[in-house]
Amino acid sequence: MTCTILALCGSLRASSSNRALLETAMSLQPAGLKIELYDGQAALPHFNPDLETAGVLPNPVLPSEVIDLRQRVRQADGLLIACPEYVHCLPGSFKNLLDWLVGCPDFPGKPVALFQATERHEYVPAMLRDVLTTMSAEILDVACFMLPATTNQIDQTWIEKQPALCDEMGRKLEAFAHRIAPKAP
Ligand SMILES: Cc1cc2nc3c(=O)[nH]c(=O)nc-3n(C[C@H](O)[C@H](O)[C@H](O)COP(=O)(O)O)c2cc1C
């Protein structure tokens, strides 16, 4: 059986190293995993709890972009997240995405693997873990991976030219698949 993973990239940059890392993970096509990249982050409205209180406000409507995000999360067996650090913090647009997921009933308990595109970040790795844990995600350490890069000038071609790194990434994804695969009764 194939499990579906939703990949979330914290960067909106066109030549994002984090997206390159996620796209490389997708290209590895690990057995048992189908990885899809979420690309709706830039279109999400600013988080506002008032928009969630259906039935309370006049004309309450959850924005369609948020409904789509939550459906994608509901359909996913796990999340693969790669997120950069901006001014010692999560990028605002990615924190906005996470804030919209706080009210997503399918988020608590969702298995998450964290992929990091550089070893330079000092604050965001721990911060992201804290935020996700507070949201009751299940972070799978066995499936987390860090690219030993110190620049953001990396792309999929650069990563794919390093077979040892791709092998390690593949093993992490296999471990992810193993952890989330439904167990036989
Ligand atoms: C406004 C801004 C602030 C940044 N602040 C930090 C920082 O505090 N710590 C850090 O390690 N890198 C920082 N960076 C570097 C980015 O994290 C780095 O370029 C990262 O690779 C961007 O991700 P991307 O390649 O996926 O777009 C900053 C970059 C920008 C543009």
Side-chain angles (χ1 to χ4, degrees), residues 85-124:
E85 177 170 306
Y86 281 177
V87 201
H88 294 184
C89 204
L90 298 169
S93 61
F94 190 67
K95 179 61 166 54
N96 185 55
L97 179 153
L98 293 177
D99 286 344
W100 277 120
L101 290 178
V102 170
C104 173
D106 302 292
F107 192 85
K110 190 69 73 176
V112 175
L114 300 173
F115 272 28
Q116 201 178 317
T118 172
E119 58 189 18
R120 291 185 60 174
H121 298 338
E122 282 183 66
Y123 298 91
V124 149

Side-chain angles (χ1 to χ4, degrees), residues 9-20 82-89 117-123 151-154:
C9 178
S11 172
L12 300 177
R13 202 165 66 94
S15 52
S16 161
S17 54
N18 286 279
R19 188 175 308 104
C83 180
E85 177 170 306
Y86 281 177
V87 201
H88 294 184
C89 204
T118 172
E119 58 189 18
R120 291 185 60 174
H121 298 338
E122 282 183 66
Y123 298 91
T151 170
N152 64 6
Q153 305 298 310
I154 57 166

